[in-house]
Amino acid sequence: MKITNVSGAFALLLLIAATGACGKGEEAAPANATAEVTASAEAAIGEGAYVEEHESGKAAFHVAADGSVKAAVLGPDGEPIREDVTGTLLWKDASGEKTVPLTFDSKAGFLVAAGPKLEADLTQIGYTLNVAGKPWSGTLHVPAGGTAELFANAKASADLALPEGKLGPHGGRIEIVGDDRLELLVDEVTGEVRVYVLDADLKPVDLGERKITLGVVAEAPQVVVLAPVAASVAAGATAGAYLTGKLALAADPLKLTIAVRNAGRSAVALCGYRAGAAFAVHARAPRVKVRVKTDWHAHAVADLKAKADLDPKVHVHAGAGAAAKAHANAKAKANVHVKAPSVRVTPPSVNVQIKAPKIAIPKPSFKASASAGASAKMKLH
């Protein structure tokens, strides 16, 4: 009994300490509100619901691997809205785009839809909800396992979180996706994206057979499959050092989803997402910081110059630097091949056919004058 009383007193002290740590209680409100919203969403459409926060409320989704969708709209108080709610989905995959209607199931109390089966590493699903005549819109990038896979991966990686603001060895954002630590950064000028695989000490390691797909929500939603980089002497990169691609970004994205496939296993992560929390997508929502200033552009110009030295047919455009273009043209002029009876100038990709001039040499003709003929006759006699 004494142990019980001590335990009870100790628990009471912990509760008082926790209350004091929250000050007047304002700091605890957001966490409680998030818990209530999540509970309401799960009660409406099932466990592991993915919730997005809009200006006027929240939209919860449960997308299954077979393409079936459940969606609920929650008001500012976290309670489901069951009247005057409709919507559509824009399903985009390898086969193209397909519009799928969301209809309200009055018996179930939420919106339902039947979309195509999820087969890609990331399927882009745009949504528009009409709530009391007001449109709510957004984009989901869903893995093959549906939103449940997104939820489960976020929950599993929560214990592996890195220190806040920790950057990778190249100055990029670090994300944990499944068993992988990835460094991701985007050149703010060219839009080139690079993803490195890091070990436990945050040092780059070999890519192996990894395939990485990015789902981005920015000025326009996009899905980009990255490719291993080729060897580059000028940039100092070996083949397979990182995966690269290009994103159309004028600013840091609102959402960034990363899907990794390796040796038959897949994992996915939505940057900044915590399982059970609503993900903000309104105008005041924080952005995913991935754009950085790099010197990759200079390396790209150096690569082009090196290729121009080896192959005069390489075109170096003004975008890569006027100096590199002049250098390539100079090299081209030094490699002109002449072959009679025509001259063919190949570099830089210019064919000029010059016909050899026709030279006619007239045959010699002799006309003897009368005096010359007479003189010749006299000599014969």
Side-chain angles (χ1 to χ4, degrees):
M1 182 63 71
K2 290 182 179 179
I3 296 176
T4 302
N5 289 337
V6 171
S7 299
F10 183 67
L12 181 60
L13 288 172
L14 285 178
L15 180 60
I16 293 171
T19 305
C22 292
K24 296 180 181 180
E26 290 85 350
E27 295 181 15
N32 292 337
T34 299
E36 290 172 4
V37 168
T38 303
S40 298
E42 291 185 343
I45 60 176
E47 186 179 357
Y50 167 71
V51 184
E52 292 202 331
E53 181 181 22
H54 292 264
E55 293 284 358
S56 305
K58 297 174 177 63
F61 296 91
H62 188 287
V63 183
D66 63 0
S68 61
V69 180
K70 299 175 184 177
V73 179
L74 311 175
D77 58 357
E79 291 300 316
I81 299 174
R82 295 187 171 91
E83 295 181 356
D84 201 10
V85 179
T86 59
T88 56
L89 302 174
L90 183 60
W91 216 279
K92 187 175 182 180
D93 55 22
S95 63
E97 293 184 351
K98 181 180 180 181
T99 300
V100 179
L102 277 165
T103 58
F104 192 81
D105 186 333
S106 56
K107 184 178 292 187
F110 50 76
L111 295 161
V112 296
K117 181 180 179 181
L118 299 174
E119 296 181 336
D121 289 340
L122 285 179
T123 297
Q124 181 172 297
I125 306 174
Y127 67 86
T128 300
L129 302 172
N130 294 298
V131 184
K134 296 181 179 179
W136 299 9
S137 60
T139 302
L140 311 176
H141 288 107
V142 186
T147 50
E149 182 182 347
L150 187 66
F151 184 92
N153 276 261
K155 197 170 183 179
S157 63
D159 296 334
L160 302 175
L162 294 165
E164 187 71 23
K166 181 68 175 179
L167 298 178
H170 305 91
R173 180 188 184 95
I174 300 177
E175 286 292 332
I176 297 175
V177 186
D179 297 329
D180 287 329
R181 291 174 177 83
L182 304 179
E183 180 186 13
L184 183 146
L185 57 165
V186 181
D187 185 277
E188 62 182 14
V189 176
T190 65
E192 180 187 350
V193 56
R194 293 184 183 182
V195 174
Y196 297 84
V197 180
L198 309 177
D199 62 15
D201 297 322
L202 303 185
K203 295 181 179 179
V205 296
D206 186 73
L207 298 174
E209 299 178 356
R210 289 174 180 83
K211 174 189 173 185
I212 294 182
T213 304
L214 303 180
V216 182
V217 178
E219 292 76 16
Q222 53 191 303
V223 174
V224 177
V225 179
L226 304 183
V229 68
S232 170
V233 176
T238 57
Y242 54 85
L243 289 138
T244 185
K246 197 157 189 178
L247 297 176
L249 293 177
D252 284 315
L254 182 64
K255 292 173 63 179
L256 178 61
T257 307
I258 308 172
V260 180
R261 183 175 294 278
N262 184 28
R265 301 178 62 186
S266 62
V268 64
L270 171 59
C271 296
Y273 172 59
R274 290 184 296 110
F279 193 95
V281 295
H282 48 71
R284 295 176 288 103
R287 297 278 171 159
V288 183
K289 177 61 180 174
V290 292
R291 297 171 75 243
V292 297
K293 185 178 292 185
T294 74
D295 60 353
W296 302 343
H297 185 63
H299 287 156
V301 173
D303 275 350
L304 287 173
K305 289 175 66 177
K307 290 178 182 177
D309 287 342
L310 298 174
D311 185 357
K313 292 183 181 180
V314 172
H315 295 274
V316 183
H317 298 288
K325 183 176 181 180
H327 183 80
N329 287 340
K331 289 290 180 183
K333 291 179 182 178
N335 291 273
V336 178
H337 303 282
V338 180
K339 184 179 181 181
S342 64
V343 178
R344 188 172 190 175
V345 182
T346 53
S349 301
V350 178
N351 293 327
V352 180
Q353 298 291 335
I354 303 175
K355 293 184 178 181
K358 294 182 179 180
I359 302 173
I361 303 175
K363 294 180 180 181
S365 61
F366 301 94
K367 292 183 180 180
S369 61
S371 58
S375 175
K377 187 175 180 181
M378 288 176 66
K379 287 181 180 180
L380 291 174
H381 290 291

